Each structure stands twice: as structure tokens, then as C-alpha cells.
Amino acid sequence: MFEPGVIRDAWRRARKGASTLDAILAQQAGVSPEEVLPELGRTFHYAVCRLDLALDIVPALDVLGLPDCRRLFALVVARGDARVLLFVDPTDDNLQRWADAKGIAVAARELVLESELLSLLARLEAAASALPGMLDLMFSDSGKRPGVEEISLARIDETASPVIRLINSTLFDAMGAGASDIHIEAAAGGLVVKYRIDGVLTEAGRLPGAELNEKAISRVKVMAELDITERRVPQDGRFKARIRDRDIDFRVSIMPSIYGEDAVIRILDKEHLSDQLAGLTLDHLGFDAQPMEVIRQLAREPHGMLLVTGPTGSGKTTTLYAAISEINDGASKIMTIEDPVEYQVPGVLQIPVNERKGLTFARGLRSILRHDPDKIMVGEIRDPDTAQIAVQAALTGHLVFSTVHANNVFDVLGRFEHMQVDPYSLVSALNGVVAQRLVRVFCVSCAGKGCVECRGTGFKGRRAIGECMVLNDELREMIATRTPIRAIKEAACRNGTRLLRESAEDLVRKGLTRQDEIDRVTSARS
């Protein structure tokens, strides 16, 4: 399938920054990168190894250090007492000569995908700053780690406990990586730590020992003031820590599993978010000009409702805050009710939901309406009571901003019908709907190949894409009379609505992201 000359040419292009070797070969052959590897193995008579699927990778960095791994695009791993050389370029004779000259004896050589090797090397390099030292710390009370001393947990006794240092190291490393969530997962022989970065889970480290998982989860429970004796039901809590001179909030979810318990820790860096919010406008979110101007126009209407929809973590709340920041001129009373309050906005009265005390979205919204507001932001409309009150508020002269969970602007209509909102009231109140997603864009440091800056993923940062439906008389009549969604969609597109998929494909055409990334966040059917 791949002649040596073709591979050498692709390798030269890859080194010039065009892309990774497997991506270039896949594009030339019209297949996926995953299909390239077995074909290379068959062509050159090598066994292959999928690093993303392998669970038993034990790098032998004492044999081949990370700098040489990067330079040679290779890695030596241990399999029992044997050593195996993993490499990318099957036409590279110099690699074997170099290994022979260094006296590096290996039992086998296996081909790997360049993208997967770079990802693994980046994880190993990043982990060198925090996670791999955990094993030494667990069995040595004298171990000191750079950076760990910067963490000061407000409600935890100062102690040299290895387990506490394990959790602190993970918190510190995740903050440095820009993670939004930390996953501590129970495995058959220990635990796995993963970070969610730019919306995608990335493995950060594996540690052996079944008892370690139990101790680590117990420590998280203590921090979140949960019941450490209860291991059969889910638990939720929160705690605070001071990291790098900032107070950080962490929300904790504990879930039982077949191997023990898993923990997910959501990082809420409110000070950082507030700094970001200072001066935040719609221009900062990465929208194309068309959806940005539509959102700006809808946010400046005198009354009515603007809804933003999308899955969890798609940036809905940030978009609403950017819109509110632009209209927050001090001349209007702006109030919000949220769960939780994620950003602190000067001049805006913000109310946190407290369901334990009976302060729900619906009850809080009723109270807000008695407080003489001009503009109201409801964190989420998720029940019939909140939906009805929000619609009534929009009909009585208020401008209402809110989010709702739906896949696109048209599915929002079905959500409100499910919440038993009268369609005539809805179309009278609704000014427009925005659906959005966040798409990862290429790392500027490596042009998408994978480096330490992007932890080997090739991506760093995200851009918002939007799908906007502004209601006109035609659309209002169609919605009120329950016209089929297909006809409403056609009318909206005639009226200027641009679908999410079209905006995503524009990013690919501009060379800012890859096709598989937009396939991850948008449907080809939309």
C-alpha cells in the first residue's frame, strides 16, 4: 500500500510541520490514521502497537531518555524482562544503527502511530513535573516536590502523609495543565488519573496498588466533608484550596464502581474567571462575525427572551456573561439566578440557587420579578415552573437570558413543548435561539503535531461556533401552529440561519482544526 519513497516523502513533509506522518499517509490513501498502521506493518513486515489502546505500556526511560525519544521518534518499553523498541518510520535504517552503537539491545521492534507516540511522550514529559514522583513520595516521607508547597488547603491539617501529597500533586498539576475536571478512576490493579482539557479526557498517570485507590478516595471525601464509611452510594460535596495565591473551589462527585470508587473533581477557579471576565466581550469568544452580531443584536432588545443551547461544557454561560457585560452600562437593573454563580460581575445582583434551603430557579425567579429588574439571567431552564415564569417575565417587559439543554436551535422548541409551555406564549416571548459548541483548534507552538505545550494532543484552546435562529413573523406562525421541524428548519435557513456544521467546516477550511475534531462535536446530519 505504501512504497518506501512515498513514506520518505511524507516523513519529510511531516518534519516541515505539515502534519504527522500517519495523518499525511492517511490523507493520501483516503483512509483513517488508524487504518494506516496495520498496512505499514504488513508492507514492512513489522508487528504494530496501538499506544492509545495499550494498557501495559511501561516506558524504559533509563534505556532511551525522553530527549532521544523526541529526536528519534522512538520509545523503548519494558515487557517483562524484555525490551521492545517502538518507532514511527519503517524506512529509517539509522535508528537501528544508532541503537546498535549505543548498545541498546531489544527483543523486538514494533511500529506505532506518530500522533500516538507524541501524545504519550508529551504526557511523560508533563508528568515529570508532578505525577511520576508520586510513587517515591508514597514510600518516602522525606520526598519534597517543587510546587506542592505552594498548595495550602484551608481546612486540612498540615501533614507529611504520602496520600495527601498524592492528591495535592494531582490538584497542582491539573491547575497547571488548564484542566476543568480531574478523574480519579479505580482500576483492577490501582488507580488512573485523567484530566479533562479543552473538553477531552487525557490520561495523566497510572499508579499500582488497589489499596491506594481506597486511600486516595477517602482523602478526597475528607476534603469534601463526605462520609468515608459509605462506599455503596454516590456522594457529592465540595472543598476549597489555595493554590498559587488563589482561592480555588472544587466540586466533588463520588461514584461506586466494580473496582471500588471513582471521583470526579470539578475545578472552579473563580478568581481566574473573574479576571477573564474583566473586559470580556463577545469578540473574545471566537465566534465568526455573523453569529456574534446576531447575539449582540438579540442582547440589546428592550424585552423578550434570548436562549442559548448546547451540551454541558459548551460555553453557554460564558456567552451569556459576555453579552451581559456588553450591555452592563449601569442604566439597567441586571439580576441573575445561577447554580452555581460561576463569575462575579460588578454591578450585577447575582443569586445562587440553594435547593437544600428551598431556593430553586423557579422560586428565585419569582422573587427577582418583585425586585424591579430590567434584565434577568436564569442559569438554566430545566423544569416547567421555571419555563413558565421565564416566559411570563419576557412577556411583561423584561429581557430574559437563559440556557436550555438541547442539541440545536430547533430542538429547543420540543423542550419547551415537553415543559408544557403554550406555543403562542413562547413565540410571543422568544426573540431568538443560539446553539453553540466549542471546537479545539491547533496548538500554535507545534502547528498541530503535538508538543509539550499541548501535552502531545496537537490542540490548545477552543473556539466557539454558533447556530442562530432569529424569529420573524413567518417562523412565529409556523412554531405556534406546530409546523413540522423540517419545514421550520428550511424557513430558518432561508431567513439567514447558518447551521453548526457549516460553521465547523469553515474552521477546517481555514486550517484551524481537523475534520475528526468537528465530527466529535457536531453531527454531519445537522
Side-chain angles (χ1 to χ4, degrees):
M1 180 178 183
F2 297 110
E3 296 295 331
V6 172
I7 296 172
R8 292 191 187 98
D9 179 64
W11 184 253
R12 284 192 292 269
R13 290 177 56 196
R15 301 290 64 77
K16 291 178 180 178
S19 185
T20 58
L21 173 66
D22 43 87
I24 293 172
L25 291 173
Q27 184 179 30
Q28 289 179 344
V31 298
S32 69
E34 291 74 18
E35 294 174 282
V36 166
L37 189 62
E39 289 295 336
L40 283 175
R42 282 190 287 270
T43 300
F44 290 89
H45 308 291
Y46 284 116
V48 300
C49 176
R50 282 295 310 281
L51 292 176
D52 280 5
L53 303 179
L55 301 178
D56 58 348
I57 295 297
V58 181
L61 298 179
D62 56 329
V63 178
L64 187 64
L66 283 173
D68 285 331
C69 290
R70 279 281 183 188
R71 183 170 58 85
L72 298 168
F73 292 87
L75 175 69
V76 176
V77 298
R79 290 197 188 144
D81 295 330
R83 297 291 182 266
V84 177
L85 177 64
L86 307 180
F87 65 105
V88 169
D89 181 9
T91 68
D92 187 4
D93 298 328
N94 293 325
L95 177 60
Q96 185 61 52
R97 286 195 290 269
W98 181 90
D100 293 340
K102 290 287 186 179
I104 298 176
V106 294
R109 301 177 71 195
E110 296 180 2
L111 282 173
V112 295
L113 290 176
E114 180 185 353
S115 54
E116 294 183 358
L117 176 65
L118 291 176
S119 178
L120 175 58
L121 293 179
R123 291 201 304 270
L124 292 172
E125 289 168 342
S129 66
L131 284 177
M134 292 178 192
L135 285 175
D136 294 333
L137 291 172
M138 288 168 54
F139 302 109
S140 170
D141 287 336
S142 61
K144 295 289 184 182
R145 309 206 38 210
V148 173
E149 289 77 13
E150 294 180 33
I151 297 177
S152 173
L153 300 177
R155 296 179 298 171
I156 301 175
D157 293 334
E158 293 295 331
T159 178
S161 164
V163 173
I164 291 180
R165 281 184 285 164
L166 162 61
I167 297 300
N168 286 356
S169 297
T170 303
L171 296 175
F172 183 83
D173 188 57
M175 287 288 298
S180 61
D181 301 86
I182 302 167
H183 290 238
I184 302 175
E185 300 177 352
L191 64 83
V192 181
V193 178
K194 298 178 181 177
Y195 301 151
R196 187 174 294 279
I197 301 173
D198 288 338
V200 177
L201 275 180
T202 302
E203 184 174 314
R206 287 174 176 262
L207 297 173
E211 74 287 349
L212 175 61
N213 175 262
E214 183 178 337
K215 291 178 181 178
I217 297 298
S218 293
R219 184 56 190 161
V220 174
K221 286 181 178 179
V222 168
M223 296 165 71
E225 299 182 343
L226 300 177
D227 185 355
I228 63 172
T229 65
E230 179 57 75
R231 299 186 179 94
R232 298 165 298 178
V233 298
Q235 298 188 65
D236 297 305
R238 60 180 63 211
F239 66 91
K240 289 180 180 292
R242 188 162 182 81
I243 301 177
R244 296 174 177 171
D245 298 322
R246 292 207 305 270
D247 290 327
I248 312 297
D249 289 336
F250 297 91
R251 284 192 294 178
V252 176
S253 172
I254 306 292
M255 189 72 64
S257 73
I258 59 173
Y259 294 118
E261 292 179 290
D262 287 12
V264 174
I265 305 172
R266 167 65 57 88
I267 301 172
L268 297 172
D269 187 354
K270 292 186 178 180
E271 289 185 31
H272 178 63
L273 293 175
S274 295
D275 291 342
Q276 285 185 322
L277 188 61
L280 176 67
T281 66
L282 292 167
D283 300 280
H284 292 95
L285 303 183
F287 282 113
D288 287 338
Q290 191 263 354
M292 182 172 61
E293 289 309 314
V294 170
I295 297 169
R296 186 168 280 141
Q297 170 196 335
L298 293 171
R300 295 186 180 279
E301 291 289 335
H303 53 74
M305 179 183 289
L306 166 60
L307 296 174
V308 180
T309 187
T312 301
S314 60
K316 302 185 296 294
T317 303
T318 304
T319 296
L320 288 184
Y321 269 114
I324 286 174
S325 295
E326 289 195 359
I327 62 173
N328 184 18
D329 56 6
S332 300
K333 180 77 169 184
I334 303 176
M335 300 180 66
T336 77
I337 180 162
E338 307 167 63
D339 182 23
V341 174
E342 295 186 15
Y343 305 96
Q344 298 171 7
V345 188
V348 175
L349 178 55
Q350 298 173 268
I351 304 167
V353 164
N354 189 337
E355 294 192 356
R356 291 182 180 178
K357 300 293 185 181
L359 181 54
T360 61
F361 276 116
R363 184 173 179 181
L365 187 51
R366 287 192 185 95
S367 299
I368 283 175
L369 291 175
R370 294 192 290 269
H371 211 72
D372 191 30
D374 297 295
K375 299 172 176 60
I376 303 166
M377 187 183 104
V378 183
E380 182 184 348
I381 295 177
R382 58 190 180 201
D383 60 81
D385 282 349
T386 307
Q388 297 282 0
I389 300 167
V391 168
Q392 286 303 312
L395 290 173
T396 53
H398 304 91
L399 181 60
V400 178
F401 302 83
S402 190
T403 72
V404 62
H405 283 288
N407 289 324
N408 53 56
V409 296
F410 309 104
D411 288 349
V412 169
L413 307 176
R415 290 284 292 127
F416 274 82
E417 183 177 356
H418 179 72
M419 289 187 284
Q420 301 171 352
V421 174
D422 174 57
Y424 287 95
S425 298
L426 175 63
V427 297
S428 298
L430 190 59
N431 294 331
V433 186
V434 177
Q436 73 175 66
R437 298 289 190 276
L438 294 177
V439 178
R440 292 185 300 167
V441 293
F442 289 138
C443 171
V444 295
S445 298
C446 63
K449 292 189 299 181
C451 64
V452 176
E453 288 293 318
C454 61
R455 301 176 77 92
T457 64
F459 296 99
K460 189 168 186 182
R462 293 185 287 180
R463 286 188 57 167
I465 56 172
E467 174 181 280
C468 305
M469 180 174 69
V470 180
L471 269 67
N472 58 13
D473 290 343
E474 178 188 12
L475 289 172
R476 286 191 169 92
E477 183 177 346
M478 295 175 78
I479 295 168
T481 56
R482 292 186 168 88
T483 301
I485 290 295
R486 180 176 179 179
I488 295 175
K489 186 175 182 178
E490 292 173 352
C493 290
R494 289 196 304 270
N495 190 46
T497 295
R498 198 160 182 265
L499 302 181
L500 278 170
R501 185 71 176 188
E502 298 174 45
S503 298
E505 288 171 345
D506 273 352
L507 295 183
V508 176
R509 284 191 287 269
K510 292 175 182 176
L512 297 175
T513 192
R514 288 200 309 252
Q515 185 69 35
D516 59 342
E517 171 63 11
I518 70 167
D519 289 341
R520 185 181 67 84
V521 297
T522 65
S523 170
R525 299 187 303 272
S526 62

